[in-house]
Amino acid sequence: MDSSGEDINGMVEKDDAPKGPSGQKETSTADMLRIKQQMSNQCFEMEVYLNAGKNRRSCSTSEAERDYSDHISELERVKTLQFNQTLALHRMQMWHAMGEKIKTNDPEADALKVVNQRCMALCCRIKQIQQETRLLQDEITELQKKRLEMKRLTHEKMKEMEDLMSRKEHPDTEKYKAALEKGQTNLEKYKKMSIMAQNVLRGLLLACKINWLDDPKLRDVAMTLEEFPITD
Amino acid sequence: MSRLNPFAKLPGLNTASVLLVESEEHFQQSLAEALVEETSVTVNVRLAKSFPLPIENDESRPRIDLVVFIINLTSELSFQSAEASLKYLEPGYFLGKVCFMVTNARSSSVPAERLDAVRRLAASLHCPLLFAEEQTPEGVTNAAERLLTILKAAAGFVPFTTPLYLSNLTRCTLPPDIDQPSFD
């Protein structure tokens, strides 16, 4: 593949562009300043390039990278500082110019004064509203604190209640259980005794062929024998 | 071999010159036409296919403020030609006067390694890497606008900025996971 280069016709230029001193349109002061700035930028670049070889020292690539980033951050810091200071300077110049203007009594100064008054009124209003906002915000914070407190109390009370409930059942049921068991054992014992007595009486009545129908007292006693089932 | 020197000639007043290098000579023309639309400065656009540039034009060629390598990602030849042309530039150009522009990055037929290779190249040279869409007129206008921003800084039209400083802000950086396989 042959290494072809630039095409003679490979140049694109606007037809009505100002081509040189012959066809140049009138350059205003702003344009002149711009061109001067451009040229000073270019000269600065060339100067930098010329001075580039002067402070040569050998170091490794990683060291160079580190120095590079350090220099870049320093440069950025200084640029930001300069930018902020220029802004401050412009602000001061503006205020000075406005002050001077207001001191004169033209219609423009009057218009400026009207705008100033409006700005002041708006600023007062803003301050007022900010104070109100602050008060409302404080109230809201108070309410929120109260609500949180309420919640905490409710939580505590619920825990207490739960505690109490679980605790109360325990001692009662224990005593109750013990008494219940004792009663039950007693009941069993007496039941057995009475069943045994009844069985003995029934046996006696049957064996001795006692006529219990005639005697009312004996009849009552015999009737009660039917109530309990015959157990061993 | 003669190398292109950034400081060999005097800069033009209110003029910025850019050299578009593209081995396919496809996108150059439309981009050039979009670039000369700029009214606040006079933009000279020179087109080339690759380096070395013919010696016959050395006299008439103005001082080139910015060299733009247009790489079409769908062709390997484009990338290789751009890489080969790099050695014909003086090192002074790589302090902010070189820019890489990539087209067809969204095409599915592009292998991921080629974009990575272009990225590595741009990152190692500390140059900005722009992505351009050449099929639509809006894409061309957008690319021209971005290129003009860099060109204006390279030609000295932006106060308090040198192309070296701008290149430090706009230079291509490698993502830390560039060596890991992509998720395709």
Side-chain angles (χ1 to χ4, degrees), chain B residues 75-100:
Chain B
S75 104
E76 182 69 20
L77 182 62
S78 183
F79 176 51
Q80 282 171 350
S81 151
E83 239 184 331
S85 309
L86 287 174
K87 55 182 184 285
Y88 291 96
L89 285 176
E90 284 277 330
Y93 264 111
F94 293 103
L95 299 175
K97 290 182 183 280
V98 168
C99 171
F100 287 92

PDB file of all heavy atoms in Angstrom, chain B residues 75-100:
ATOM      1  N   SER B  75     -12.777  -1.455  10.453  1.00  0.00           N
ATOM      2  CA  SER B  75     -11.676  -1.963   9.637  1.00  0.00           C
ATOM      3  C   SER B  75     -10.369  -1.931  10.411  1.00  0.00           C
ATOM      4  O   SER B  75     -10.033  -0.948  11.047  1.00  0.00           O
ATOM      5  CB  SER B  75     -11.549  -1.140   8.355  1.00  0.00           C
ATOM      6  OG  SER B  75     -10.456  -0.257   8.431  1.00  0.00           O
ATOM      7  N   GLU B  76      -9.674  -3.017  10.385  1.00  0.00           N
ATOM      8  CA  GLU B  76      -8.402  -3.124  11.112  1.00  0.00           C
ATOM      9  C   GLU B  76      -7.353  -2.248  10.448  1.00  0.00           C
ATOM     10  O   GLU B  76      -6.479  -1.683  11.099  1.00  0.00           O
ATOM     11  CB  GLU B  76      -7.952  -4.589  11.110  1.00  0.00           C
ATOM     12  CG  GLU B  76      -6.674  -4.861  11.863  1.00  0.00           C
ATOM     13  CD  GLU B  76      -6.814  -4.701  13.368  1.00  0.00           C
ATOM     14  OE1 GLU B  76      -7.955  -4.758  13.863  1.00  0.00           O
ATOM     15  OE2 GLU B  76      -5.794  -4.511  14.027  1.00  0.00           O
ATOM     16  N   LEU B  77      -7.460  -2.108   9.130  1.00  0.00           N
ATOM     17  CA  LEU B  77      -6.484  -1.327   8.371  1.00  0.00           C
ATOM     18  C   LEU B  77      -6.465   0.121   8.832  1.00  0.00           C
ATOM     19  O   LEU B  77      -5.412   0.748   8.925  1.00  0.00           O
ATOM     20  CB  LEU B  77      -6.868  -1.391   6.884  1.00  0.00           C
ATOM     21  CG  LEU B  77      -5.943  -0.676   5.929  1.00  0.00           C
ATOM     22  CD1 LEU B  77      -4.565  -1.295   5.977  1.00  0.00           C
ATOM     23  CD2 LEU B  77      -6.502  -0.742   4.527  1.00  0.00           C
ATOM     24  N   SER B  78      -7.650   0.636   9.142  1.00  0.00           N
ATOM     25  CA  SER B  78      -7.772   2.027   9.583  1.00  0.00           C
ATOM     26  C   SER B  78      -6.900   2.258  10.817  1.00  0.00           C
ATOM     27  O   SER B  78      -6.127   3.212  10.888  1.00  0.00           O
ATOM     28  CB  SER B  78      -9.244   2.286   9.882  1.00  0.00           C
ATOM     29  OG  SER B  78      -9.459   3.584  10.236  1.00  0.00           O
ATOM     30  N   PHE B  79      -7.050   1.345  11.791  1.00  0.00           N
ATOM     31  CA  PHE B  79      -6.295   1.484  13.037  1.00  0.00           C
ATOM     32  C   PHE B  79      -4.804   1.350  12.794  1.00  0.00           C
ATOM     33  O   PHE B  79      -3.992   2.117  13.319  1.00  0.00           O
ATOM     34  CB  PHE B  79      -6.794   0.416  14.010  1.00  0.00           C
ATOM     35  CG  PHE B  79      -6.047   0.365  15.303  1.00  0.00           C
ATOM     36  CD1 PHE B  79      -5.841   1.510  16.049  1.00  0.00           C
ATOM     37  CD2 PHE B  79      -5.553  -0.829  15.792  1.00  0.00           C
ATOM     38  CE1 PHE B  79      -5.166   1.464  17.242  1.00  0.00           C
ATOM     39  CE2 PHE B  79      -4.880  -0.878  16.983  1.00  0.00           C
ATOM     40  CZ  PHE B  79      -4.676   0.257  17.710  1.00  0.00           C
ATOM     41  N   GLN B  80      -4.440   0.394  11.951  1.00  0.00           N
ATOM     42  CA  GLN B  80      -3.006   0.174  11.729  1.00  0.00           C
ATOM     43  C   GLN B  80      -2.393   1.356  11.013  1.00  0.00           C
ATOM     44  O   GLN B  80      -1.273   1.773  11.324  1.00  0.00           O
ATOM     45  CB  GLN B  80      -2.794  -1.086  10.906  1.00  0.00           C
ATOM     46  CG  GLN B  80      -2.953  -2.325  11.750  1.00  0.00           C
ATOM     47  CD  GLN B  80      -2.966  -3.562  10.896  1.00  0.00           C
ATOM     48  OE1 GLN B  80      -3.045  -3.488   9.678  1.00  0.00           O
ATOM     49  NE2 GLN B  80      -2.895  -4.702  11.540  1.00  0.00           N
ATOM     50  N   SER B  81      -3.155   1.915  10.046  1.00  0.00           N
ATOM     51  CA  SER B  81      -2.618   3.057   9.318  1.00  0.00           C
ATOM     52  C   SER B  81      -2.422   4.242  10.250  1.00  0.00           C
ATOM     53  O   SER B  81      -1.416   4.961  10.175  1.00  0.00           O
ATOM     54  CB  SER B  81      -3.587   3.390   8.172  1.00  0.00           C
ATOM     55  OG  SER B  81      -3.521   4.739   7.884  1.00  0.00           O
ATOM     56  N   ALA B  82      -3.395   4.443  11.157  1.00  0.00           N
ATOM     57  CA  ALA B  82      -3.252   5.561  12.104  1.00  0.00           C
ATOM     58  C   ALA B  82      -2.038   5.348  12.990  1.00  0.00           C
ATOM     59  O   ALA B  82      -1.261   6.274  13.231  1.00  0.00           O
ATOM     60  CB  ALA B  82      -4.517   5.684  12.944  1.00  0.00           C
ATOM     61  N   GLU B  83      -1.888   4.089  13.472  1.00  0.00           N
ATOM     62  CA  GLU B  83      -0.751   3.812  14.345  1.00  0.00           C
ATOM     63  C   GLU B  83       0.563   4.060  13.638  1.00  0.00           C
ATOM     64  O   GLU B  83       1.525   4.589  14.216  1.00  0.00           O
ATOM     65  CB  GLU B  83      -0.803   2.342  14.780  1.00  0.00           C
ATOM     66  CG  GLU B  83      -0.868   2.167  16.257  1.00  0.00           C
ATOM     67  CD  GLU B  83      -0.816   0.702  16.659  1.00  0.00           C
ATOM     68  OE1 GLU B  83      -1.269  -0.139  15.878  1.00  0.00           O
ATOM     69  OE2 GLU B  83      -0.320   0.445  17.744  1.00  0.00           O
ATOM     70  N   ALA B  84       0.625   3.635  12.365  1.00  0.00           N
ATOM     71  CA  ALA B  84       1.870   3.806  11.608  1.00  0.00           C
ATOM     72  C   ALA B  84       2.167   5.261  11.358  1.00  0.00           C
ATOM     73  O   ALA B  84       3.328   5.659  11.249  1.00  0.00           O
ATOM     74  CB  ALA B  84       1.776   3.049  10.291  1.00  0.00           C
ATOM     75  N   SER B  85       1.107   6.086  11.253  1.00  0.00           N
ATOM     76  CA  SER B  85       1.340   7.496  10.961  1.00  0.00           C
ATOM     77  C   SER B  85       1.878   8.255  12.153  1.00  0.00           C
ATOM     78  O   SER B  85       2.382   9.362  11.997  1.00  0.00           O
ATOM     79  CB  SER B  85       0.035   8.168  10.523  1.00  0.00           C
ATOM     80  OG  SER B  85      -0.579   7.441   9.520  1.00  0.00           O
ATOM     81  N   LEU B  86       1.729   7.658  13.339  1.00  0.00           N
ATOM     82  CA  LEU B  86       2.105   8.418  14.533  1.00  0.00           C
ATOM     83  C   LEU B  86       3.580   8.766  14.559  1.00  0.00           C
ATOM     84  O   LEU B  86       3.965   9.803  15.095  1.00  0.00           O
ATOM     85  CB  LEU B  86       1.755   7.626  15.791  1.00  0.00           C
ATOM     86  CG  LEU B  86       0.278   7.544  16.120  1.00  0.00           C
ATOM     87  CD1 LEU B  86       0.082   6.616  17.294  1.00  0.00           C
ATOM     88  CD2 LEU B  86      -0.258   8.910  16.482  1.00  0.00           C
ATOM     89  N   LYS B  87       4.402   7.928  13.956  1.00  0.00           N
ATOM     90  CA  LYS B  87       5.832   8.207  14.081  1.00  0.00           C
ATOM     91  C   LYS B  87       6.294   9.338  13.182  1.00  0.00           C
ATOM     92  O   LYS B  87       7.438   9.768  13.261  1.00  0.00           O
ATOM     93  CB  LYS B  87       6.654   6.945  13.819  1.00  0.00           C
ATOM     94  CG  LYS B  87       6.388   6.262  12.524  1.00  0.00           C
ATOM     95  CD  LYS B  87       7.254   5.015  12.479  1.00  0.00           C
ATOM     96  CE  LYS B  87       7.123   4.317  11.173  1.00  0.00           C
ATOM     97  NZ  LYS B  87       5.836   3.599  11.082  1.00  0.00           N
ATOM     98  N   TYR B  88       5.388   9.857  12.341  1.00  0.00           N
ATOM     99  CA  TYR B  88       5.766  10.984  11.500  1.00  0.00           C
ATOM    100  C   TYR B  88       5.434  12.314  12.148  1.00  0.00           C
ATOM    101  O   TYR B  88       5.530  13.359  11.517  1.00  0.00           O
ATOM    102  CB  TYR B  88       5.057  10.898  10.150  1.00  0.00           C
ATOM    103  CG  TYR B  88       5.570   9.758   9.321  1.00  0.00           C
ATOM    104  CD1 TYR B  88       4.919   8.543   9.300  1.00  0.00           C
ATOM    105  CD2 TYR B  88       6.736   9.911   8.585  1.00  0.00           C
ATOM    106  CE1 TYR B  88       5.404   7.501   8.550  1.00  0.00           C
ATOM    107  CE2 TYR B  88       7.220   8.867   7.827  1.00  0.00           C
ATOM    108  CZ  TYR B  88       6.554   7.661   7.813  1.00  0.00           C
ATOM    109  OH  TYR B  88       7.024   6.627   7.071  1.00  0.00           O
ATOM    110  N   LEU B  89       5.016  12.266  13.396  1.00  0.00           N
ATOM    111  CA  LEU B  89       4.718  13.526  14.079  1.00  0.00           C
ATOM    112  C   LEU B  89       5.802  13.802  15.098  1.00  0.00           C
ATOM    113  O   LEU B  89       6.257  12.916  15.805  1.00  0.00           O
ATOM    114  CB  LEU B  89       3.382  13.414  14.827  1.00  0.00           C
ATOM    115  CG  LEU B  89       2.106  13.452  14.012  1.00  0.00           C
ATOM    116  CD1 LEU B  89       0.931  13.228  14.918  1.00  0.00           C
ATOM    117  CD2 LEU B  89       1.960  14.806  13.356  1.00  0.00           C
ATOM    118  N   GLU B  90       6.193  15.064  15.176  1.00  0.00           N
ATOM    119  CA  GLU B  90       7.129  15.473  16.206  1.00  0.00           C
ATOM    120  C   GLU B  90       6.488  15.285  17.584  1.00  0.00           C
ATOM    121  O   GLU B  90       5.286  15.436  17.717  1.00  0.00           O
ATOM    122  CB  GLU B  90       7.463  16.958  16.040  1.00  0.00           C
ATOM    123  CG  GLU B  90       8.420  17.278  14.924  1.00  0.00           C
ATOM    124  CD  GLU B  90       9.863  17.099  15.349  1.00  0.00           C
ATOM    125  OE1 GLU B  90      10.135  17.301  16.550  1.00  0.00           O
ATOM    126  OE2 GLU B  90      10.694  16.767  14.501  1.00  0.00           O
ATOM    127  N   PRO B  91       7.299  14.961  18.600  1.00  0.00           N
ATOM    128  CA  PRO B  91       6.707  14.762  19.925  1.00  0.00           C
ATOM    129  C   PRO B  91       5.972  15.981  20.465  1.00  0.00           C
ATOM    130  O   PRO B  91       5.095  15.860  21.295  1.00  0.00           O
ATOM    131  CB  PRO B  91       7.906  14.422  20.817  1.00  0.00           C
ATOM    132  CG  PRO B  91       9.101  14.581  19.998  1.00  0.00           C
ATOM    133  CD  PRO B  91       8.733  14.654  18.568  1.00  0.00           C
ATOM    134  N   GLY B  92       6.333  17.167  19.945  1.00  0.00           N
ATOM    135  CA  GLY B  92       5.638  18.359  20.420  1.00  0.00           C
ATOM    136  C   GLY B  92       4.148  18.331  20.158  1.00  0.00           C
ATOM    137  O   GLY B  92       3.366  18.999  20.818  1.00  0.00           O
ATOM    138  N   TYR B  93       3.725  17.520  19.178  1.00  0.00           N
ATOM    139  CA  TYR B  93       2.297  17.442  18.880  1.00  0.00           C
ATOM    140  C   TYR B  93       1.521  16.737  19.955  1.00  0.00           C
ATOM    141  O   TYR B  93       0.332  16.969  20.149  1.00  0.00           O
ATOM    142  CB  TYR B  93       2.078  16.716  17.546  1.00  0.00           C
ATOM    143  CG  TYR B  93       1.932  17.672  16.393  1.00  0.00           C
ATOM    144  CD1 TYR B  93       2.908  17.759  15.417  1.00  0.00           C
ATOM    145  CD2 TYR B  93       0.840  18.505  16.313  1.00  0.00           C
ATOM    146  CE1 TYR B  93       2.778  18.647  14.377  1.00  0.00           C
ATOM    147  CE2 TYR B  93       0.701  19.397  15.272  1.00  0.00           C
ATOM    148  CZ  TYR B  93       1.677  19.464  14.305  1.00  0.00           C
ATOM    149  OH  TYR B  93       1.561  20.336  13.290  1.00  0.00           O
ATOM    150  N   PHE B  94       2.205  15.804  20.678  1.00  0.00           N
ATOM    151  CA  PHE B  94       1.451  14.990  21.616  1.00  0.00           C
ATOM    152  C   PHE B  94       1.167  15.699  22.926  1.00  0.00           C
ATOM    153  O   PHE B  94       0.605  15.138  23.830  1.00  0.00           O
ATOM    154  CB  PHE B  94       2.184  13.673  21.865  1.00  0.00           C
ATOM    155  CG  PHE B  94       2.209  12.813  20.648  1.00  0.00           C
ATOM    156  CD1 PHE B  94       3.348  12.717  19.879  1.00  0.00           C
ATOM    157  CD2 PHE B  94       1.070  12.170  20.233  1.00  0.00           C
ATOM    158  CE1 PHE B  94       3.354  11.959  18.726  1.00  0.00           C
ATOM    159  CE2 PHE B  94       1.069  11.410  19.094  1.00  0.00           C
ATOM    160  CZ  PHE B  94       2.212  11.307  18.327  1.00  0.00           C
ATOM    161  N   LEU B  95       1.580  16.993  22.991  1.00  0.00           N
ATOM    162  CA  LEU B  95       1.221  17.756  24.183  1.00  0.00           C
ATOM    163  C   LEU B  95      -0.084  18.478  23.946  1.00  0.00           C
ATOM    164  O   LEU B  95      -0.196  19.679  24.149  1.00  0.00           O
ATOM    165  CB  LEU B  95       2.343  18.756  24.496  1.00  0.00           C
ATOM    166  CG  LEU B  95       3.682  18.112  24.775  1.00  0.00           C
ATOM    167  CD1 LEU B  95       4.743  19.175  24.960  1.00  0.00           C
ATOM    168  CD2 LEU B  95       3.593  17.258  26.029  1.00  0.00           C
ATOM    169  N   GLY B  96      -1.070  17.775  23.460  1.00  0.00           N
ATOM    170  CA  GLY B  96      -2.381  18.383  23.335  1.00  0.00           C
ATOM    171  C   GLY B  96      -2.783  18.766  21.926  1.00  0.00           C
ATOM    172  O   GLY B  96      -3.857  19.298  21.719  1.00  0.00           O
ATOM    173  N   LYS B  97      -1.929  18.480  20.946  1.00  0.00           N
ATOM    174  CA  LYS B  97      -2.315  18.875  19.598  1.00  0.00           C
ATOM    175  C   LYS B  97      -2.713  17.689  18.743  1.00  0.00           C
ATOM    176  O   LYS B  97      -2.817  17.786  17.534  1.00  0.00           O
ATOM    177  CB  LYS B  97      -1.144  19.598  18.938  1.00  0.00           C
ATOM    178  CG  LYS B  97      -0.920  20.957  19.569  1.00  0.00           C
ATOM    179  CD  LYS B  97       0.207  21.651  18.842  1.00  0.00           C
ATOM    180  CE  LYS B  97       0.563  22.964  19.433  1.00  0.00           C
ATOM    181  NZ  LYS B  97      -0.284  24.063  19.087  1.00  0.00           N
ATOM    182  N   VAL B  98      -2.934  16.541  19.378  1.00  0.00           N
ATOM    183  CA  VAL B  98      -3.382  15.361  18.641  1.00  0.00           C
ATOM    184  C   VAL B  98      -4.673  14.879  19.273  1.00  0.00           C
ATOM    185  O   VAL B  98      -4.833  14.911  20.490  1.00  0.00           O
ATOM    186  CB  VAL B  98      -2.327  14.231  18.703  1.00  0.00           C
ATOM    187  CG1 VAL B  98      -2.912  12.938  18.211  1.00  0.00           C
ATOM    188  CG2 VAL B  98      -1.126  14.581  17.869  1.00  0.00           C
ATOM    189  N   CYS B  99      -5.597  14.430  18.423  1.00  0.00           N
ATOM    190  CA  CYS B  99      -6.871  13.945  18.948  1.00  0.00           C
ATOM    191  C   CYS B  99      -7.248  12.706  18.148  1.00  0.00           C
ATOM    192  O   CYS B  99      -6.941  12.606  16.963  1.00  0.00           O
ATOM    193  CB  CYS B  99      -7.892  15.068  18.779  1.00  0.00           C
ATOM    194  SG  CYS B  99      -9.552  14.607  19.123  1.00  0.00           S
ATOM    195  N   PHE B 100      -7.901  11.751  18.800  1.00  0.00           N
ATOM    196  CA  PHE B 100      -8.368  10.569  18.098  1.00  0.00           C
ATOM    197  C   PHE B 100      -9.876  10.611  17.990  1.00  0.00           C
ATOM    198  O   PHE B 100     -10.564  10.901  18.969  1.00  0.00           O
ATOM    199  CB  PHE B 100      -7.968   9.300  18.857  1.00  0.00           C
ATOM    200  CG  PHE B 100      -6.505   8.988  18.753  1.00  0.00           C
ATOM    201  CD1 PHE B 100      -5.624   9.458  19.702  1.00  0.00           C
ATOM    202  CD2 PHE B 100      -6.002   8.245  17.696  1.00  0.00           C
ATOM    203  CE1 PHE B 100      -4.267   9.191  19.610  1.00  0.00           C
ATOM    204  CE2 PHE B 100      -4.661   7.967  17.597  1.00  0.00           C
ATOM    205  CZ  PHE B 100      -3.790   8.441  18.562  1.00  0.00           C
TER     206      PHE B 100
END
